[in-house]
Amino acid sequence: MGRLFLVDLEGKTYNCKFCKTQLGLADDLVSKAFHCRRGKAYLFNNVVNITFGQSEERTMLSGTHTVNDIFCCCCGQILGWKYERAHEKSQKYKEGKFVLERGRIIDGEVDSEFYIDTRASTSDGEDTM
């Protein structure tokens, strides 16, 4: 396997919940009103640091679409999908856009500024003895 190069984003980001890899900019967020099987989802114009699954036809609430599942390039977790093709005229605006499932992403600013490590530390125990 080759060397992994990540795109480093400037500004407010959304990151992978599992490994904290940057995925998209708040400026590329189109809508927070999307839904998926697991709950809420966000529609983005562009995302980075992902890999693609096989292209497939999927019937959704809004009609049939050709989509590719998208995965975090670092940890391999599924994050959502990319709309390749919409079969209905009213859904054409989705073509080329990305859906990230809300339960699989985190707000990069909030997480990095307010992260509290709740794991027990062995050095704390050693200092008290």
Side-chain angles (χ1 to χ4, degrees):
M1 185 168 213
R3 186 175 208 174
L4 185 64
F5 291 96
L6 298 176
V7 176
D8 189 29
L9 300 172
E10 300 269 336
K12 183 180 185 314
T13 62
Y14 289 93
N15 302 348
C16 175
K17 175 182 177 177
F18 306 98
C19 70
K20 314 298 189 270
T21 299
Q22 293 180 331
L23 300 170
L25 287 169
D27 290 343
D28 283 325
L29 182 63
V30 176
S31 174
K32 292 184 176 183
F34 274 67
H35 294 276
C36 62
R37 281 180 256 150
R38 294 181 195 94
K40 293 181 180 181
Y42 292 173
L43 184 69
F44 286 83
N45 278 322
N46 189 43
V47 295
V48 296
N49 300 324
I50 58 166
T51 59
F52 293 95
Q54 294 292 321
S55 183
E56 65 180 63
E57 299 291 317
R58 198 174 291 166
T59 302
M60 301 180 176
L61 293 174
S62 59
T64 302
H65 303 274
T66 304
V67 299
N68 297 85
D69 284 335
I70 55 176
F71 303 86
C72 177
C73 70
C74 289
C75 68
Q77 288 286 329
I78 187 165
L79 300 169
W81 63 90
K82 179 181 181 183
Y83 286 106
E84 292 295 331
R85 184 168 168 257
H87 297 273
E88 296 182 27
K89 215 178 234 187
S90 66
Q91 300 298 307
K92 293 287 186 187
Y93 75 96
K94 295 178 181 176
E95 290 183 346
K97 293 186 173 47
F98 302 83
V99 173
L100 296 179
E101 296 180 13
R102 185 63 190 104
R104 298 182 166 274
I105 60 174
I106 55 173
D107 182 323
E109 283 186 353
V110 170
D111 187 68
S112 62
E113 290 180 24
F114 301 107
Y115 177 74
I116 298 172
D117 189 356
T118 58
R119 296 174 291 170
S121 173
T122 57
S123 63
D124 290 342
E126 292 168 359
D127 291 341
T128 60
M129 292 184 168

